[in-house]
């Protein structure tokens, strides 16, 4: 069998496979980069638009081929899965040619790595599609999955658990963007299905393998990051059980106790009914019961304090591989907001000026809050093309449901509310789901509304350099909000609509509005 590419094969400057995905100085410029990921259960093409810190998903398609189905009995790729995978790869090759994707990287994991006919499959794919499949070993698979998590959580600490169809990997995140100890196992659902001896034998095998992993990682992790489709399917069921209002899987948090409750639900429920309730495919749902058994033992033995779902994995890890340390440590939320402003706002660059204008209203804000305020200011105008009657709703949906990293669900709601109130003074008639407010404490709901009204006023006051023409001062003890008009142009800009919005801002703050240097 062909040896998988491991740590020793990495060029220190080019990354894995000797292929420089992004050539400096274009590394931070917009570029379309394609990754085809051939797993044990699925074959997926992702095209990233933008090689910056927070790339967008330009194209994303997967086929659940089941290449690893039956591997335990035959040691070979599943015949039907192989046919379906080859058909999918023909399509993906044609699509990427049509999109002009370059570079295009094709990787394969456990199924192709371990199968007797893995090399023959690679040769067939190369001959028919021109795609050169690079096979990665388990250690490298774990490292890339961990780097995918770092794309969304810079500086994250804890354990990453990546489950595929035929394997499951654990990787340690040590903080500061460092990946530590890594281990791979045969705990993929497709491989477990091939174990003889019934449920008792499967459970014994899971317990033994997880026990070995737990010994390799003896320190209790603060957080366990779950990567992989089977984990996401279980998280969807947890959301359904809890009646959770925000259906975004990335950064979804669960306690170990909640996970065990959801696994009990899976064990006693009809799988077809769960599939219908959560919108999960048949192919994915059939793996859920055995994946749930693995997760149950994993949570009990590793004893994490918290569990978080990551939508980022190997494919995103390949992007992270190419980034400089400086780029890796940039804030993915701010980078995404900057890109959105540059490409979609009417006045690119105004968001930074608006931030400086409204910043005095939040004198005690710490860095986590300041980054949300900054992101809101950068995003305040990116939805201006939406119909005015729906602009507030579109802003909220974009913030809360966009594919953004670096935000908790509570922060998504905060940002969404601020942008909603940037365009509308109240939430009535916006289609806003009030159940989302349960994710955010009431004081933060009010604060987000104040931020929105502040942006609403600042964007109306002037279209450029608001701090040149006016300055806000907030005196919380006296409940006074001052606007000092600095220039004649500032006094000319402070018309009736701007004045009304300034007074509305003061009212939301429970303050008296005072204008210094007002026109006579």
């Amino acid at each position: 069998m062909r040896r998988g590419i491991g740590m020793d094969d990495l060029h220190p400057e080019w990354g894995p496979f000797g292929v420089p995905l992004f050539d400096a100085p274009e590394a931070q410029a917009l570029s379309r980069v394609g990754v085809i990921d051939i797993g044990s259960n699925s074959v997926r093409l992702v095209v990233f638009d933008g090689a910056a810190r927070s790339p967008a998903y330009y194209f994303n398609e997967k086929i659940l081929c089941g290449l690893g189905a039956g591997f335990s009995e035959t040691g070979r790729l599943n015949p039907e899965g192989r046919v379906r995978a080859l058909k999918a790869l023909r399509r993906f090759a044609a699509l990427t040619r049509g999109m002009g994707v370059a570079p295009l990287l094709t990787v394969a994991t456990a199924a192709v790595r371990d199968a007797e006919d893995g090399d023959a499959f690679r040769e067939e794919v190369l001959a028919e599609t021109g795609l050169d499949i690079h096979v990665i070993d388990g250690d490298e698979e774990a490292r890339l999955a961990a780097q995918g998590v770092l794309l969304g959580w810079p500086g994250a600490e804890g354990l990453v658990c990546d489950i595929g169809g035929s394997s499951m990997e654990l990787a340690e995140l040590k903080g500061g963007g460092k990946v530590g100890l890594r281990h791979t196992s045969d705990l993929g659902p497709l491989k477990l299905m091939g174990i003889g001896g019934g449920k008792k034998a499967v459970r014994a095998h899971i317990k033994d393998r997880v026990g070995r992993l737990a010994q390799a990682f003896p320190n209790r992790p603060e957080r366990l990051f779950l990567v992989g489709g089977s984990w996401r399917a279980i998280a969807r069921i947890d959301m359904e059980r809890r009646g959770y209002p925000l259906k975004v899987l990335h950064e979804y948090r669960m306690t170990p106790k909640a996970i065990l409750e959801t696994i009990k639900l899976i064990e006693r429920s009809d799988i077809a009914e769960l599939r219908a309730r959560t919108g999960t495919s048949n192919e994915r749902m059939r793996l859920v019961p055995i994946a749930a058994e693995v997760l149950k033992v994993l949570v009990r033995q590793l004893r994490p304090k918290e569990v978080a779902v990551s939508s980022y994995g190997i494919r995103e890890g390949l992007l992270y591989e190419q980034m400089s340390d400086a780029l890796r440590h940039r804030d993915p939320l701010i980078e995404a907001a900057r890109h959105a402003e540059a490409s979609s706002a009417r006045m690119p660059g105004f968001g930074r000026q608006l931030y400086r204008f409204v910043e005095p209203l939040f004198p005690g804000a710490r860095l986590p809050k300041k980054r949300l305020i900054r992101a809101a200011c950068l995003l305040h105008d990116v939805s201006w093309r939406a119909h005015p009657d729906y602009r507030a709703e579109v802003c909220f949906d974009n913030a809360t449901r966009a594919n953004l990293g670096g935000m908790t669900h509570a922060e998504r709601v905060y940002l969404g509310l601020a942008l909603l109130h940037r365009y509308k003074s109240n939430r009535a008639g916006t289609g806003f789901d009030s159940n989302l407010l349960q994710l955010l404490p009431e004081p933060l709901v009010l604060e987000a509304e104040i931020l929105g009204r502040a942006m609403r006023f600042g964007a109306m006051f002037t279209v450029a350099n608001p701090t040149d023409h006016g300055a806000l001062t907030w005196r919380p003890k006296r409940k006074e909000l001052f606007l000092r008009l600095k220039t004649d142009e500032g006094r000319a800009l402070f018309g009736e609509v701007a004045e009304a919005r300034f007074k509305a801002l003061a009212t939301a703050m429970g303050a008296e509005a005072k204008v210094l240097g007002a026109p006579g």
Side-chain angles (χ1 to χ4, degrees):
M1 291 298 298
R2 180 183 185 275
R3 178 178 67 89
I5 293 178
M7 289 295 292
D8 294 338
D9 300 292
L10 299 182
H11 189 288
E13 295 178 357
W14 281 18
F17 323 127
V19 180
L21 291 188
F22 316 112
D23 295 322
E26 291 83 10
Q28 298 172 24
L30 293 182
S31 174
R32 283 192 189 152
V33 180
V35 176
I36 296 176
D37 180 5
I38 304 171
S40 301
N41 192 45
S42 65
V43 176
R44 184 191 292 263
L45 166 65
V46 174
V47 178
F48 298 100
D49 186 36
R53 185 59 184 80
S54 189
Y57 293 80
Y58 178 77
F59 188 88
N60 191 343
E61 181 177 316
K62 73 175 178 181
I63 305 294
L64 292 169
C65 300
L67 270 176
F71 176 84
S72 296
E73 296 92 344
T74 68
R76 300 175 65 83
L77 298 174
N78 181 273
E80 180 184 351
R82 182 168 168 167
V83 171
R84 294 182 67 194
L86 184 58
K87 183 178 179 181
L89 292 170
R90 288 195 196 99
R91 169 174 163 78
F92 291 167
L95 285 170
T96 53
R97 285 193 298 270
M99 286 185 274
V101 173
L104 173 64
L105 184 62
T106 306
V107 298
T109 52
V112 176
R113 180 170 70 227
D114 298 337
E116 293 177 8
D117 55 345
D119 282 344
F121 177 69
R122 290 181 56 249
E123 292 168 2
E124 183 180 17
V125 170
L126 180 60
E128 295 206 20
T129 69
L131 298 172
D132 187 9
I133 299 174
H134 303 280
V135 181
I136 58 177
D137 63 23
D139 182 86
E140 185 66 1
E141 189 174 353
R143 191 181 73 86
L144 289 172
Q147 289 191 163
V149 170
L150 289 172
L151 189 75
W153 282 279
E157 296 183 49
L159 278 182
V160 175
C161 181
D162 178 18
I163 194 168
S166 295
S167 68
M168 186 187 81
E169 284 71 39
L170 284 179
E172 177 188 22
L173 290 176
K174 302 173 69 173
K178 304 296 182 183
V179 181
L181 187 65
R182 302 177 292 280
H183 279 278
T184 187
S185 71
D186 61 353
L187 290 174
L190 287 175
K191 190 165 284 189
L192 292 172
M193 286 177 172
I195 295 177
K199 291 182 178 180
K200 187 175 181 180
V202 172
R203 287 171 179 163
H205 182 86
I206 293 171
K207 187 174 181 180
D208 173 70
R209 292 295 191 271
V210 173
R212 296 183 192 184
L213 290 170
Q215 288 178 357
F217 298 91
N219 297 324
R220 183 184 183 189
E222 185 73 24
R223 185 179 297 167
L224 179 66
F225 298 91
L226 298 181
V227 176
S230 293
W231 295 153
R232 292 193 295 272
I234 293 172
R236 286 191 192 95
I237 297 171
D238 188 73
M239 284 181 170
E240 177 69 18
R241 180 185 67 82
R242 294 172 56 190
Y244 192 77
L246 184 58
K247 306 302 183 185
V248 174
L249 286 169
H250 188 66
E251 263 278 15
Y252 179 60
R253 308 289 182 93
M254 298 174 283
T255 64
K257 182 179 179 181
I259 288 174
L260 295 176
E261 286 296 319
T262 295
I263 291 172
K264 287 180 183 177
L265 173 66
I266 293 169
E267 291 171 343
R268 67 173 183 263
S269 297
D270 178 73
I271 291 301
E273 181 185 345
L274 283 179
R275 183 192 68 77
R277 286 167 58 186
T278 59
T280 306
S281 68
N282 279 318
E283 293 91 342
R284 179 65 67 192
M285 187 57 76
R286 74 186 183 92
L287 305 181
V288 163
I290 199 162
E293 189 67 32
V294 175
L295 186 57
K296 177 169 64 176
V297 180
L298 196 68
V299 166
R300 285 175 173 170
Q301 295 211 25
L302 293 179
R303 300 180 301 113
K305 296 179 181 178
E306 182 183 52
V307 180
V309 177
S310 173
S311 294
Y312 299 164
I314 289 175
R315 295 171 293 275
E316 291 76 14
L318 287 166
L319 284 179
Y320 187 88
E321 180 78 21
Q322 311 307 313
M323 295 178 181
S324 66
D325 284 340
L327 187 56
R328 289 177 178 183
H329 287 89
R330 287 187 182 181
D331 188 324
L333 172 61
I334 298 302
E335 290 302 306
R338 283 175 176 164
H339 180 264
E341 185 195 37
S343 61
S344 301
R346 284 174 287 192
M347 301 288 292
F350 183 74
R352 185 177 182 181
Q353 301 165 12
L354 182 60
Y355 171 74
R356 289 199 295 264
F357 183 68
V358 304
E359 188 180 17
L361 302 183
F362 308 93
R366 297 185 176 182
L367 183 60
K369 180 61 58 63
K370 286 185 176 182
R371 67 187 287 271
L372 288 179
I373 297 170
R374 180 170 294 163
C377 291
L378 291 169
L379 294 170
H380 88 281
D381 191 48
V382 299
S383 299
W384 68 274
R385 291 182 184 274
H387 190 283
D389 291 348
Y390 299 100
R391 199 172 286 155
E393 185 176 348
V394 168
C395 283
F396 182 82
D397 286 345
N398 284 345
T400 54
R401 294 173 172 85
N403 192 16
L404 296 172
M407 274 198 300
T408 66
H409 282 195
E411 288 171 335
R412 283 178 179 270
V413 175
Y414 180 97
L415 184 60
L417 280 174
L419 292 170
L420 183 154
H421 286 291
R422 151 66 178 96
Y423 281 108
K424 204 168 189 300
S425 59
N426 60 71
R427 296 186 285 275
T430 62
F432 175 77
D433 182 0
S434 60
N435 290 322
L436 290 167
L437 295 181
Q438 66 184 266
L439 304 181
L440 202 62
E442 182 59 33
L444 293 183
V445 172
L446 177 59
E447 185 180 278
E449 180 179 343
I450 289 170
L451 172 57
R453 288 178 180 272
M455 293 189 295
R456 186 171 169 82
F457 165 59
M460 170 57 66
F461 176 48
T462 178
V463 296
N465 303 316
T467 53
D468 288 351
H469 306 298
L472 292 169
T473 302
W474 167 228
R475 294 180 178 174
K477 290 184 178 180
R478 295 184 179 182
K479 294 292 183 180
E480 293 176 333
L481 178 63
F482 288 89
L483 170 66
R484 180 169 61 88
L485 299 173
K486 299 179 179 180
T487 63
D488 289 340
E489 187 169 353
R491 284 182 278 276
L493 288 166
F494 192 65
E496 291 184 13
V497 176
E499 182 180 6
R501 291 189 178 181
F502 176 64
K503 289 180 178 178
L505 169 62
T507 299
M509 298 177 72
E512 181 182 358
K514 295 189 175 184
V515 181
L516 303 178

